[in-house]
Amino acid sequence: MDGQPRRTLKAAQADALLRWADGGSGDARAPVPDAACLYGLVGDVALEGSEGAETNPIAIAGNFIAYLSCAIGRTPHLAVGNTSHHARLFFLHVGRSGRGRKGDAVSLVTRIDELVRRKGRSLAPQIHRGGLSSREGLAALIHDGYRVGTQDVAAVEDKRLWVVESEFANVLQQSQRGGNTLSAALRDCWDGVDLKPATKTNRVYATEPHVCLSGAISPVELLGLVQRRDLCNGFVNRFLMAWGERTHIEAFPRRVPQARVEALAAEVAGVLDFTRPRDADGRETVLMSMADSARRRYAQLYQAELNQDLGNTLVDSLLERRAPMLLRLAMVFALTDRQWSIEEKHIEAAMAWTRYATESACFVFTGKAASPAQLQMLWAAERISEFLAARGSASRRDLVIDCFARHQPAAVIDAAIAHLAGAVGGIHVEVRPRSRGGPGRPTTIYRLRPQPTSN
């Protein structure tokens, strides 16, 4: 990402920061999640927590998914090629200060956890409420044991750790410090890689970590603190990002009745009991499967929407892990149904989240809650403009073959041409009949319209 793309990314980030620093996102409408995001038990928790309250249900749902993916642990896994995916997710709740209700979005999940813990301490994961500062500090929370002088410190056997960073800006600030390895450590945790010491003198290890994270941040903090390296090294795109602000104003928000919390906790405990290791040493893993219809649907999405560039360098860098994110979400949804097989309905619910994360990233980083199809069309239009500026003119065949190397659907190209034809300073369309009046279609030639000159 050198040269012009690098400058474009930096400029786009600066433009977005200026827009949010003025207090809002202009005239852009905030994205609206599909109802499919609130699938099953996830939806039950989200709707219960948001009823009669200001908290956005999508924010509650995202935090609950992160908690549940942590509590599930490493027992279930899904094999994709030579890679094993566990149901392990990082969630990032984005909303303006005072409107995001970020603390409230976690409170019901915390109440559920307290009751799950009473039902069986082995069911619930360890929770760390913020304050991460380094790889060593993170590894120390789930270490394999170490020695201090002549004394041995016993290992932490349960490697499940749910980190709640209500001030995610802290994590981004730590990553800016020279030599800080927290960002790299969290990337390893998302991948499930062992946390090894960064120095020879540090002997704190953590093997097979299962760390999940719930973060909250304002758009101004996110845009102001995210460094280019965080966008390009795969740190930020490991987070399932969701825009979530209060849905209405409620002076006296409803407290979820304890009986309902107990019922939800019983459901969660049932799911976690279903996913527990069955043998004495706790090392058993369960390979999840996909129904044929789910495999066909995922393949269809993977070959199209999940791997399409959206035409914005900044947004594209944030969405590179849409495919594995979708699979992990689908695993969580299947496990809430207490089954080891992922069905098409779980893929669809996960895809609803993937689309909402895409729209959230677009809204925060560009101010446009455009759909992936719209962004693809705008990217194609920009590509055509650049191609015509360099060549002067081109036929549709030239655009298909030379501009897009046959990699874009005809519908996308046609939509981009229509957009440019109707735009101010867009393209001029000339239709040339076949030479000598022969049969066949006439040839259409496209040129950029001359730009008006200022006196």
Side-chain angles (χ1 to χ4, degrees), residues 36-42 65 78 89 274 288-295 297-298 301 306 322-355:
C37 290
L38 303 183
Y39 178 87
L41 178 59
V42 170
I65 288 172
L78 181 69
L89 290 155
F274 173 77
M288 296 187 70
S289 62
M290 294 180 70
D292 289 343
S293 60
R295 293 178 67 88
R297 181 57 177 150
Y298 175 72
L301 292 168
L306 289 174
R322 282 171 288 181
M325 200 84 75
L326 181 146
L327 290 176
R328 294 182 182 203
L329 285 163
M331 290 173 68
V332 171
F333 290 132
L335 292 170
T336 60
D337 286 340
R338 305 188 198 188
Q339 60 185 66
W340 299 111
S341 177
I342 297 172
E343 297 181 4
E344 187 175 358
K345 61 183 178 181
H346 304 131
I347 296 291
E348 294 295 352
M351 192 62 210
W353 271 97
T354 305
R355 288 176 177 140

Side-chain angles (χ1 to χ4, degrees), residues 429-450:
V429 182
E430 177 187 353
V431 179
R432 296 178 179 175
R434 298 280 295 182
S435 61
R436 300 179 183 178
R441 293 183 178 180
T443 301
T444 304
I445 302 297
Y446 306 100
R447 290 188 182 86
L448 289 178
R449 292 196 189 103

Side-chain angles (χ1 to χ4, degrees), residues 276-333:
R276 288 281 70 82
R278 296 295 186 263
D279 60 354
D281 62 11
R283 302 285 296 178
E284 180 184 351
T285 60
V286 177
L287 180 63
M288 296 187 70
S289 62
M290 294 180 70
D292 289 343
S293 60
R295 293 178 67 88
R296 287 193 297 269
R297 181 57 177 150
Y298 175 72
Q300 181 184 46
L301 292 168
Y302 187 83
Q303 293 166 7
E305 193 171 334
L306 289 174
N307 278 295
Q308 282 185 346
D309 288 337
L310 300 183
N312 182 293
T313 306
L314 192 57
V315 174
D316 284 337
S317 67
L318 293 165
L319 300 174
E320 290 179 352
R321 284 182 167 77
R322 282 171 288 181
M325 200 84 75
L326 181 146
L327 290 176
R328 294 182 182 203
L329 285 163
M331 290 173 68
V332 171
F333 290 132

Side-chain angles (χ1 to χ4, degrees), residues 51-54 101 248-255:
E51 182 183 346
E54 295 182 332
R101 294 295 182 262
H248 61 281
I249 296 176
E250 183 65 55
F252 300 100
R254 164 184 173 268
R255 179 176 176 82

Side-chain angles (χ1 to χ4, degrees), residues 102-114:
K102 304 179 185 74
D104 295 339
V106 180
S107 59
L108 178 57
V109 182
T110 301
R111 289 180 64 190
I112 291 171
D113 169 77
E114 291 171 353

